[in-house]
Amino acid sequence: MTTSQLPDPSQNSGLWQPNRKLSKTMEKLAKGLFGAFGILSIFTTVGIVLTLVFETILFFQEVPIWDFLTDTQWTPLFTNSQYGIMVLISATLLTSVIALIVAMPMGILAAVCLSEYAPRKVRSWLKPALEILAGVPTVVFGYFALFLVTPILRPFVPGLQQFNGLSAGIVLGIAILPTIASLSEDAIYAVPQSLRQGSYALGATKRETITNVVLPAALSGIVASFILGVARAVGETMIVTIAAGQNPRLTLDPRVPIQTMTSFIVQVAGGDAPTGSIEYITLFAVGMTLFLITLVLNGFSFWFVRRFREKYE
Amino acid sequence: MTVTDPNAFSQDDLAKQRFNPNLAGRYRLDNIFRIASWVATIAGLVVLAFLLIDVLVDGLPRLNWQFLTSFPSRSAERAGILAPLVGTVWLLFITALVAFPIGVGAGIFLEEFSTDNLFTRILEINIGNLAAVPSIIYGLLGLAVFVRVFVDITGGRTVFAAGLTLALLILPVIIVATREALRAVPDSLRLAGMALGATRWQTVREHVLPQAFPGILTGTILALSRAIGETAPLIVIGAQTFVPYIPSFREGGFSALPIQIFNWVGRPQAEFHTNAAAGIIVLMIVLLIMNATAIYLRNRFQAGKV
């Protein structure tokens, strides 16, 4: 196309001139405003880190960090206060491990069922039903653990007290089950069909194909779903607060009342601690520990997926 | 099943001995595995059904008009959930008003306006991380920032401060939902808009956004229903369990349904546990309505997709 065939643009330019000043301003305005909204999410992170770090520094001016990490007593509300975070971490660890023992096999089997066994129609209502389970508020799960699971377990577990780590952990496992199942299913679903067909062609049965070919191929995603499930279990608050009790003690006995990091935060925050008091800054020191643990778990899961992902074309 | 010696094949009888397909046994294992996987899936649903039935049996007899319209009381029979219910509605509105425009805006920025540079990548990693932060940590943030630092704006431990905190909590979810909805809009629409001389913002506003809007709305409603069920951040912020008045925007204490349920669960008397079950029914009905709306919108969206 040559310019000589077109009318000279300068002849028409006097008749119609697109006034794009307004739309260009709007464009800049929209971009700037929405970019600022994006920056707000960065501010949230910065805000979380700054508040936690700031109050935690104040905390460590009062309590030596060595005592914080090695003491075997957690009694911040007593006059003779001791701050052994291991007490709370042991409780969090206990409930999370029980949750994982429940949710890991069930989650992976449910994921296999949804992606390999369930007919398309059944799957289309099974998945939303599991999503409902994920949408149940945790305070409801707490009610469930305290008033239903503990009474059911009591005849079978001798020495089980009304508040205990066991039923809290089991219900916690049910609460994180949809997370693990749905993320694992995504990973299993992404394994190409040709791998399955190759396995069948070699004479493997369906189960052999799943356990020896499909699951190993989806391993990175499945492990990542476990880690994210643990991260959720660690940060989960209401179930353990309601059903596991408020007794900080260094134990791995699932039958007795314990206190996790999150339920300590609820206990103190519910008591309206005055700003600057040692109870108030202890909240943030525990919050910092919790934040770091979940951050490490999430970082690990990211790294794991990137490092071990099998790529298929 | 393993054949180590290649000569084994040449010796017919030996091969027969070594290679035993054992199909019957393998199929039996197959069946066990299949049944186990179905049991695991159904078990989750059975637990859900069990939970709902238990709550219904416990709480339904307590659920009446008096329960919905009464203020808290020391006697379980006269106590009600008016103040927490109003508190929850307040929270729903404040959270939606703050989180929806900001979340959708940030999602539009990331999906439509940004180029792949350092800022965008930091933003994406940051949003991914925020989504994984436990909700109780947001409570601590709200306590330190909205309740203490911005006390002049929020009025301290008020429903406003709590709404802002919940808005921050669900912001990453809304951003991710917005991005997914925008990504589902075919690129040809954007190209057509820009070929006609529209700016990027005009294209997004007039063509892309209307197409993506039902998807965005669905994601937002689901995020809001998550916010409504949150208890831990509200406790940390300082929600109260005894609010004998209608809570106002930024004055005085407030309560919310999950807080009231938590409080009743923690009382020793069984009558309060019945109240808690009735409160759970109300909360679950609110969530059910929200989820049903979201699913309805999603289905309508899928039906009318171009």
Side-chain angles (χ1 to χ4, degrees):
Chain A
M1 188 155 44
T2 54
T3 42
S4 59
Q5 286 165 332
L6 292 168
D8 185 4
S10 60
Q11 282 180 344
N12 293 331
S13 58
L15 300 175
W16 183 70
Q17 202 150 42
N19 182 7
R20 308 203 54 181
K21 217 180 245 167
L22 182 67
S23 36
K24 276 193 175 149
T25 322
M26 283 300 290
E27 169 93 359
K28 274 195 190 125
L29 210 68
K31 189 173 178 181
L33 187 69
F34 294 160
F37 287 166
I39 292 173
L40 196 77
S41 79
I42 292 182
F43 279 164
T44 312
T45 310
V46 174
I48 289 175
V49 172
L50 280 187
T51 29
L52 290 179
V53 166
F54 181 69
E55 305 280 356
T56 307
I57 289 173
L58 289 182
F59 176 78
F60 283 130
Q61 283 169 356
E62 308 248 347
V63 180
I65 190 162
W66 184 249
D67 292 356
F68 184 66
L69 293 176
T70 58
D71 262 356
T72 54
Q73 296 278 319
W74 177 264
T75 54
L77 305 178
F78 295 173
T79 39
N80 177 24
S81 50
Q82 278 186 291
Y83 300 89
I85 189 70
M86 279 306 157
V87 176
L88 301 185
I89 290 182
S90 78
T92 298
L93 187 73
L94 176 68
T95 49
S96 303
V97 165
I98 295 173
L100 209 54
I101 290 172
V102 172
M104 222 159 66
M106 276 181 73
I108 203 165
L109 282 174
V112 165
C113 177
L114 282 175
S115 66
E116 305 289 320
Y117 285 117
R120 187 179 282 264
K121 257 200 164 158
V122 180
R123 184 178 181 273
S124 71
W125 63 261
L126 266 181
K127 254 203 130 171
L130 279 179
E131 278 169 26
I132 295 179
L133 193 62
V136 173
T138 51
V139 68
V140 179
F141 276 123
Y143 175 93
F144 186 60
L146 182 61
F147 295 131
L148 204 66
V149 176
T150 301
I152 289 176
L153 287 178
R154 268 190 151 167
F156 303 105
V157 186
L160 192 71
Q161 305 198 16
Q162 196 197 354
F163 297 102
N164 59 77
L166 183 62
S167 44
I170 290 173
V171 176
L172 198 53
I174 294 167
I176 64 170
L177 173 66
T179 311
I180 291 183
S182 129
L183 289 175
S184 296
E185 200 232 340
D186 289 344
I188 291 173
Y189 198 76
V191 174
Q193 206 60 35
S194 57
L195 259 77
R196 295 183 183 87
Q197 284 156 355
S199 172
Y200 290 141
L202 290 171
T205 64
K206 187 150 188 170
R207 170 190 57 88
E208 286 160 357
T209 304
I210 292 169
T211 53
N212 298 338
V213 176
V214 177
L215 290 185
L219 190 68
S220 71
I222 293 171
V223 172
S225 83
F226 290 163
I227 299 168
L228 287 179
V230 175
R232 264 206 65 186
V234 168
E236 189 12 74
T237 310
M238 296 324 293
I239 299 172
V240 288
T241 306
I242 292 174
Q246 304 282 357
N247 306 49
R249 64 174 92 186
L250 190 61
T251 177
L252 288 178
D253 183 354
R255 299 169 306 168
V256 296
I258 47 177
Q259 184 170 46
T260 66
M261 289 186 277
T262 48
S263 47
F264 168 76
I265 295 177
V266 166
Q267 187 195 10
V268 172
D272 195 11
T275 321
S277 67
I278 183 77
E279 291 91 352
Y280 180 77
I281 53 178
T282 309
L283 278 185
F284 289 88
V286 175
M288 185 77 190
T289 315
L290 183 63
F291 182 70
L292 285 179
I293 291 175
T294 49
L295 200 68
V296 167
L297 284 171
N298 285 315
F300 181 68
S301 116
F302 267 130
W303 172 83
F304 195 91
V305 170
R306 281 174 70 142
R307 173 72 182 71
F308 291 102
R309 174 152 53 194
E310 308 262 346
K311 277 206 172 135
Y312 304 101
E313 291 305 322
Chain B
M1 242 170 38
T2 48
V3 180
T4 41
D5 183 9
N7 293 329
F9 279 119
S10 60
Q11 294 161 304
D12 236 19
D13 48 347
L14 203 66
K16 263 177 200 157
Q17 268 176 23
R18 288 204 181 169
F19 181 68
N20 174 15
N22 185 22
L23 271 179
R26 284 159 68 199
Y27 277 132
R28 200 173 308 128
L29 272 179
D30 262 44
N31 270 328
I32 294 170
F33 185 72
R34 195 190 65 218
I35 292 166
S37 84
W38 275 105
V39 167
T41 314
I42 305 295
L45 301 180
V46 169
V47 167
L48 179 66
F50 207 48
L51 196 162
L52 293 179
I53 291 170
D54 178 57
V55 166
L56 281 176
V57 168
D58 287 354
L60 212 51
R62 181 68 188 87
L63 201 61
N64 54 30
W65 190 246
Q66 175 271 330
F67 184 69
L68 291 178
T69 56
S70 295
F71 285 114
S73 165
R74 277 179 222 294
S75 84
E77 297 80 39
R78 273 186 286 148
I81 54 161
L82 182 60
L85 196 58
V86 175
T88 288
V89 174
W90 260 123
L91 286 177
L92 188 62
F93 273 106
I94 297 168
T95 309
L97 280 180
V98 175
F100 182 68
I102 295 179
V104 173
I108 291 176
F109 177 81
L110 278 171
E111 206 55 37
E112 305 286 338
F113 287 104
S114 68
T115 44
D116 186 26
N117 55 26
L118 188 67
F119 172 66
T120 317
R121 247 175 292 156
I122 290 176
L123 210 56
E124 279 179 356
I125 294 171
N126 175 52
I127 289 166
N129 275 328
L130 274 182
V133 173
S135 62
I136 197 163
I137 302 283
Y138 282 92
L140 289 175
L141 173 73
L143 177 66
V145 175
F146 296 133
V147 175
R148 307 275 183 213
V149 179
F150 291 150
V151 66
D152 295 332
I153 304 170
T154 60
R157 299 169 183 271
T158 57
V159 73
F160 186 36
L164 290 178
T165 308
L166 289 183
L168 287 188
L169 174 68
I170 61 167
L171 203 54
V173 188
I174 297 185
I175 293 176
V176 170
T178 304
R179 295 191 66 181
E180 272 172 14
L182 287 174
R183 218 172 294 155
V185 177
D187 234 5
S188 53
L189 253 108
R190 297 183 183 86
L191 297 177
M194 280 186 257
L196 290 170
T199 62
R200 211 169 256 276
W201 168 234
Q202 284 170 332
T203 315
V204 170
R205 193 188 59 199
E206 302 291 341
H207 299 286
V208 181
L209 209 51
Q211 282 282 322
F213 201 68
I216 295 174
L217 216 54
T218 308
T220 307
I221 294 172
L222 290 178
L224 279 173
S225 70
R226 201 195 132 188
I228 290 310
E230 280 291 349
T231 323
L234 299 185
I235 296 176
V236 176
I237 292 240
Q240 293 175 2
T241 48
F242 200 88
V243 183
Y245 50 83
I246 298 282
S248 80
F249 182 51
R250 49 184 290 264
E251 273 168 37
F254 72 99
S255 188
L257 273 178
I259 300 287
Q260 188 63 63
I261 294 166
F262 172 58
N263 177 254
W264 278 335
V265 166
R267 304 256 187 123
Q269 303 93 328
E271 297 81 42
F272 281 112
H273 301 163
T274 311
N275 279 8
I280 287 174
I281 295 176
V282 176
L283 180 62
M284 295 294 275
I285 289 174
V286 172
L287 293 180
L288 202 68
I289 293 171
M290 292 174 74
N291 278 293
T293 317
I295 289 170
Y296 170 75
L297 281 172
R298 180 158 61 188
N299 288 347
R300 247 188 65 164
F301 172 55
Q302 276 169 348
K305 209 171 183 176
V306 271

